[in-house]
Amino acid sequence: MTTTTDVPTLANWGNYPKVKAVVAGPETPEDARAEVLGQDRLIARGNGKCYGDAALAPRVLSTLRLNRLLRFDAENGIVHCESGMLLADLLDVIVPAGWFFHVTPGIKNITVGGAIACDVHGKNHPTKGCFSNWLLDFDLLRADGSVLRCSRTEHTDLFWQTCGGMGWTGVVLAARFQLMRIGSVQMRQMAVRAGNLDELFRAFENHADWPYAAGWVDCLAKGAAFGRGVVYFAEHAEQDAGEPLQYPFRDTRNVPFYAPTWLLNPLSIRLHNYMLFSKAKTGEQLVDLDRYFYPLDRIRNWNRLYGRRGFIQYQFCLPEENSADGIRQILETIRQSRDVPFLSVLKRHGERPPEAVHSFPIRGYSLALDFPRTSTIFELVRRLDELVWQHGGKIYLAKDACSAPRMGRVNPATFGEAKFSSLLRERL
Ligand SMILES: Cc1cc2nc3c(=O)[nH]c(=O)nc-3n(C[C@H](O)[C@H](O)[C@H](O)COP(=O)(O)OP(=O)(O)OC[C@H]3O[C@@H](n4cnc5c(N)ncnc54)[C@H](O)[C@@H]3O)c2cc1C
């Protein structure tokens, strides 16, 4: 059975833009097929945790009821599940059995279909690549109702067009992927405070042997402290002495209502940055998986802190040789503007396999910035786009709401099927 719901304002995580939509929720692959055949235009939607306009359209096929675990091979660490299954629900099954994802984004409340369509990356891109690296195969429902098994050996082009293809090739119904062994639910974390931007890059380079790394940048610091920040490195802790792995951890908090728009202002953000920098616990400590990988999942509805107007996440990646210069210019441009990012995450990336044509990361550094949506933010994005382009970089379509069409370096006219169309695709 397929449920259909009229939603007056549907938005993704950034709460901008918002559309009026009909959301169809098929329960079985056959229901999904009937929905696809019955519509001229629609887009697949997972849990709506992309930030911008990728999972938005007047007609949306929600996969959230296609969420069955079809098989978990606990011997070899292979998951076979429907595409609407959340990583969070998978973790509850795989972690107690001693397995974890090779690649996970900084949020577990996303679907497997969303992970494939955005070809998500984690804090270990140089060694593990994107989600597609560990993907064995998936079943893709196409515009004509056919279902194709796609892998590195079957329908190879479609496989790579779908990984990072933002849902434009069809609806992923189910997928199989490989997990990695872990012996503990703890992570050995080391935090390094960097007094300026050069030190920040040096920290990434000097500790490149840690498998995981992500940094925070104080985008308001100036003078000698320009670009200061903290980098958090980590690795999985050794085997817990014979203890069964206990998961999940549950201590989530909630932001119950939208904050007033004045809450995040230059002064409050400056204070927040000061606390993040000066109170960072440097050195080593043990933290649990959730605290290292999914710190924001512990605060439900944190996007409401930006108020009803929502926010824009701007994430770009620059080639290694241009990263230091480009990020310096971008931070300088932001510092001189009236718009102040509240959150920022700096990551290092490795080589992109040539066949992963739509994957976001390229060898170099990416920076993700969350800006409250103000009347001036679109002009700032235009200027940032220019700088990213000049430095040979690109932006992440999973976060995009308003960048210039060329910035994702993807031309929707060259692949996919017209039936699968989102606001993002129409905008590009
Ligand atoms: C707090 C936070 C942290 C994040 N951290 C990271 C990070 O570290 N790395 C990273 O890469 N991303 C990150 N993201 C982005 C997020 O991981 C991706 O946008 C992910 O795709 C969201 O999954 P979803 O199930 O919510 O998909 P949605 O947001 O619903 O959809 C995303 C895209 O996938 C398509 N899609 C969804 N399901 C299917 C399907 N079954 N078949 C075909 N197409 C489909 C949609 O059409 C859309 O284009 C983060 C997001 C948040 C909110």
Side-chain angles (χ1 to χ4, degrees):
M1 206 189 76
T2 298
T3 55
T4 48
T5 318
D6 281 303
V7 181
T9 50
L10 184 68
N12 295 325
W13 191 242
N15 272 323
Y16 174 82
K18 294 180 175 144
V19 291
K20 188 171 172 322
V22 176
V23 177
E27 201 180 352
T28 65
E30 293 71 35
D31 296 337
R33 183 170 180 273
E35 172 65 15
V36 164
L37 287 175
Q39 300 301 323
D40 292 335
R41 289 225 168 164
L42 79 168
I43 192 75
R45 178 180 176 85
N47 207 23
K49 292 296 189 285
C50 58
Y51 284 73
D53 53 3
L56 296 180
R59 184 96 186 183
V60 156
L61 186 157
S62 166
T63 61
L64 289 179
R65 296 206 305 156
L66 291 169
N67 64 349
R68 282 158 283 248
L69 178 59
L70 302 173
R71 182 156 192 260
F72 171 40
D73 174 351
E75 198 67 0
N76 298 301
I78 295 174
V79 161
H80 186 200
C81 66
E82 289 184 330
S83 65
M85 188 151 191
L86 296 177
L87 298 191
D89 292 336
L90 274 170
L91 284 167
D92 292 350
V93 177
I94 64 172
V95 175
W99 296 96
F100 191 64
F101 306 117
H102 278 283
V103 169
T104 177
I107 172 168
K108 60 178 177 173
N109 288 313
I110 69 157
T111 64
V112 168
I116 295 170
C118 293
D119 203 9
V120 295
H121 61 271
K123 296 170 178 164
N124 56 353
H125 187 263
T127 50
K128 294 289 182 96
C130 285
F131 196 81
S132 57
N133 233 10
W134 308 97
L135 194 53
L136 302 174
D137 51 47
F138 55 79
D139 294 331
L140 186 71
L141 171 59
R142 312 209 64 212
D144 61 4
S146 60
V147 177
L148 295 181
R149 170 76 41 97
C150 304
S151 68
R152 283 173 178 73
T153 52
E154 292 166 279
H155 304 290
T156 315
D157 283 353
L158 206 46
F159 178 85
W160 289 113
Q161 297 275 295
T162 302
C163 295
M166 306 308 293
W168 302 340
T169 57
V171 182
V172 175
L173 293 175
R176 281 192 324 132
F177 55 95
Q178 179 68 55
L179 303 170
M180 66 178 277
R181 266 271 177 228
I182 51 166
S184 169
V185 289
Q186 301 294 327
M187 301 293 294
R188 196 162 75 86
Q189 177 183 282
M190 181 185 65
V192 174
R193 210 184 273 137
N196 57 43
L197 194 59
D198 288 338
E199 280 183 30
L200 200 59
F201 283 116
R202 222 171 302 128
F204 273 97
E205 277 151 32
N206 290 347
H207 301 287
D209 50 333
W210 285 77
Y212 298 98
W216 160 79
V217 192
D218 181 348
C219 299
L220 290 181
K222 48 187 177 183
F226 179 79
R228 70 178 181 176
V230 183
V231 190
Y232 294 90
F233 301 95
E235 63 181 11
H236 292 275
E238 300 285 302
Q239 188 94 31
D240 294 336
E243 296 290 320
L245 301 191
Q246 299 286 337
Y247 192 85
F249 312 97
R250 296 216 192 280
D251 65 341
T252 51
R253 278 165 276 167
N254 187 24
V255 178
F257 42 76
Y258 286 95
T261 38
W262 51 258
L263 181 73
L264 299 182
N265 59 60
L267 192 67
S268 63
I269 296 177
R270 204 176 285 281
L271 187 67
H272 166 256
N273 288 1
Y274 169 78
M275 299 294 282
L276 281 185
F277 187 75
S278 56
K279 302 282 176 215
K281 262 196 194 159
T282 51
E284 287 191 24
Q285 58 172 322
L286 283 180
V287 296
D288 65 53
L289 288 175
D290 276 9
R291 207 169 278 275
Y292 185 72
F293 288 105
Y294 313 116
L296 289 170
D297 279 336
R298 297 172 102 97
I299 309 169
R300 268 182 292 135
N301 298 313
W302 64 259
N303 55 345
R304 291 181 180 162
L305 286 173
Y306 290 88
R308 286 189 187 280
R309 296 208 317 199
F311 64 107
I312 302 287
Q313 177 159 116
Y314 190 81
Q315 184 172 9
F316 62 91
C317 193
L318 299 183
E320 197 163 41
E321 61 280 13
N322 295 342
S323 290
D325 179 47
I327 289 177
R328 184 174 295 281
Q329 285 188 37
I330 284 169
L331 289 180
E332 191 55 53
T333 304
I334 293 170
R335 225 180 48 72
Q336 286 171 10
S337 79
R338 289 167 53 190
D339 289 288
V340 184
F342 180 54
L343 291 176
S344 65
V345 180
L346 183 66
K347 286 186 208 144
R348 190 175 195 206
H349 298 285
E351 216 59 67
R352 178 175 64 168
E355 60 276 21
V357 278
H358 299 314
S359 296
F360 161 67
I362 48 177
R363 188 182 184 84
Y365 285 84
S366 74
L367 183 61
L369 303 159
D370 284 357
F371 293 96
R373 187 168 72 85
T374 60
S375 56
T376 47
I377 187 61
F378 298 108
E379 172 54 20
L380 177 63
V381 166
R382 201 192 57 71
R383 290 166 63 205
L384 299 186
D385 277 355
E386 243 350 278
L387 287 170
V388 170
W389 189 260
Q390 279 168 21
H391 286 88
K394 61 191 292 211
I395 56 128
Y396 190 13
L397 293 178
K399 313 289 178 77
D400 180 30
C402 56
S403 275
R406 63 182 182 177
M407 296 307 299
R409 297 191 185 258
V410 162
N411 180 354
T414 57
F415 79 99
E417 300 188 57
K419 182 175 263 193
F420 301 109
S421 192
S422 56
L423 258 55
L424 171 71
R425 184 170 193 173
E426 280 153 28
R427 192 162 55 79
L428 300 183

